[in-house]
Amino acid sequence: MDLDLCAAGTALLSFAAGFAVVVLPRSHASAEGERKGDAEALDREIEARVAERTEEMRAMYEAQTKFLADISHALQTPMAILRGNVEILERCAPARARGVTRIIAATLNSMARLVASILESARWQFAQDKLCMADIAVEALLQEVYDDCSVLAENKGIRLVSSCGAGMTIVGDKEKLKEVLFNLISNALKHTDPGGTVALTGREDDGVAEIAVTDTGCGIPEDRLQDIFERFYRIDGAGVVGTGIGLHICRQIVEAHGGNIAAESEVGKGSRFAVRIPRKSLV
């Protein structure tokens, strides 16, 4: 009898152990499934929140840009009226007061340039999807820019030279790219003394068209190079009137073409701004 009970007990324990072996894996798999489901739900929730926040930030940025455009446009008329009245005052005011009116006029001109730059930047934000893309022969593009800018260099006593490899074609908005090069050359002329040189060059580099503007001007401190493309950034003590918006717009235009713009410089020796745009054709 004791042997039978012992055998029965052993059989029961074996049955229970076997049951446990069978049940436990199922319970573990179920827990793993629940955890995986929770993780996937959390991922979906995070993605939804990120998308929602991104949309909010985009809407806020567009609202800010529109506000800048609206306020800049609204300021143009009263500023034009003020400038007109100051010009009348300059003609009619006694000699001792003309110094004051000249200061007012210079300040208004500076404000007008700033307002115009803000308006241009805001307009560009809304026009990025309206580029007139076409095949552009880089050599012809550089020749047009050279012809337009040569008189500016001549008036400042600066030598403007141009060279470009033949056969390079890119796809882009010709007028917008000319605007970029005009801005770079204008900056180079501003920071180069009479007798200096500004070079406009084009070359192919590993499937990319590189257009560079190099000058023998005053140069830019190395610690400032990373900031010069930021909106409204100006180098203190540069001694050149500007709004700090031009290079920012240049970067926006170049990036809208799938390219990039970078600067190299050495104080006292000059600067080099390079625009790199992938070579391709619509044909």
Side-chain angles (χ1 to χ4, degrees):
M1 186 67 176
D2 291 339
L3 289 175
D4 291 340
L5 288 173
C6 189
T10 302
L12 182 60
L13 287 173
S14 297
F15 174 78
F19 179 77
V21 168
V22 172
V23 170
L24 283 176
R26 288 204 302 270
S27 177
H28 179 71
S30 176
E32 283 294 327
E34 290 179 2
R35 282 195 291 269
K36 185 177 180 181
D38 291 343
E40 291 176 350
L42 182 59
D43 286 343
R44 288 193 296 270
E45 184 179 353
I46 291 173
E47 288 178 2
R49 289 183 180 180
V50 169
E52 182 181 356
R53 184 56 178 159
T54 301
E55 180 61 24
E56 288 177 359
M57 292 177 67
R58 185 193 64 78
M60 289 172 60
Y61 183 74
E62 288 186 357
Q64 181 189 44
T65 301
K66 187 177 186 303
F67 170 76
L68 287 173
D70 291 344
I71 199 69
S72 299
H73 188 271
L75 283 171
Q76 286 186 318
T77 299
M79 287 185 65
I81 294 172
L82 285 171
R83 290 167 68 187
N85 280 280
V86 169
E87 288 174 4
I88 295 173
L89 283 174
E90 280 188 294
R91 292 194 295 268
C92 302
R96 63 183 181 181
R98 287 174 188 165
V100 176
T101 57
R102 278 196 294 270
I103 293 173
I104 295 172
T107 303
L108 283 171
N109 287 335
S110 178
M111 291 177 64
R113 285 192 296 270
L114 179 59
V115 168
S117 296
I118 295 173
L119 185 57
E120 175 62 22
S121 178
R123 283 173 176 167
W124 169 246
Q125 291 290 338
F126 290 111
Q128 288 192 55
D129 59 343
K130 299 179 182 178
L131 294 174
C132 298
M133 306 298 274
D135 286 339
I136 302 172
V138 176
E139 187 176 15
L141 172 67
L142 267 57
Q143 185 61 50
E144 288 185 31
V145 173
Y146 171 81
D147 292 342
D148 290 339
C149 294
S150 56
V151 66
L152 301 176
E154 184 179 344
N155 289 341
K156 287 203 63 178
I158 296 171
R159 181 170 172 256
L160 178 64
V161 298
S162 178
S163 65
C164 182
M168 279 194 297
T169 302
I170 59 175
V171 173
D173 186 316
K174 186 177 181 180
E175 294 306 314
K176 288 298 181 183
L177 291 176
K178 286 174 70 172
E179 181 181 336
V180 170
L181 298 179
F182 286 151
N183 194 295
L184 295 179
I185 291 175
S186 176
N187 285 346
L189 294 175
K190 288 177 184 176
H191 292 89
T192 301
D193 292 331
T197 300
V198 173
L200 175 63
T201 59
R203 70 184 183 98
E204 181 181 1
D205 180 25
D206 193 24
V208 173
E210 182 185 83
I211 303 172
V213 174
T214 308
D215 64 62
T216 58
C218 57
I220 303 168
E222 185 177 357
D223 60 341
R224 304 296 183 87
L225 284 174
Q226 62 182 2
D227 299 318
I228 58 175
F229 294 103
E230 298 301 321
R231 187 183 298 184
F232 304 127
Y233 183 82
R234 291 185 295 176
I235 298 175
D236 296 334
V240 177
V241 176
T243 60
I245 198 75
L247 287 177
H248 177 73
I249 294 176
C250 285
R251 183 175 68 178
Q252 289 181 309
I253 293 174
V254 172
E255 289 180 350
H257 284 77
N260 62 74
I261 181 171
E264 303 171 0
S265 188
E266 186 174 348
V267 174
K269 292 189 176 181
S271 304
R272 182 178 187 271
F273 286 80
V275 173
R276 294 172 60 85
I277 296 176
R279 284 199 62 190
K280 53 185 178 180
S281 172
L282 290 176
V283 179

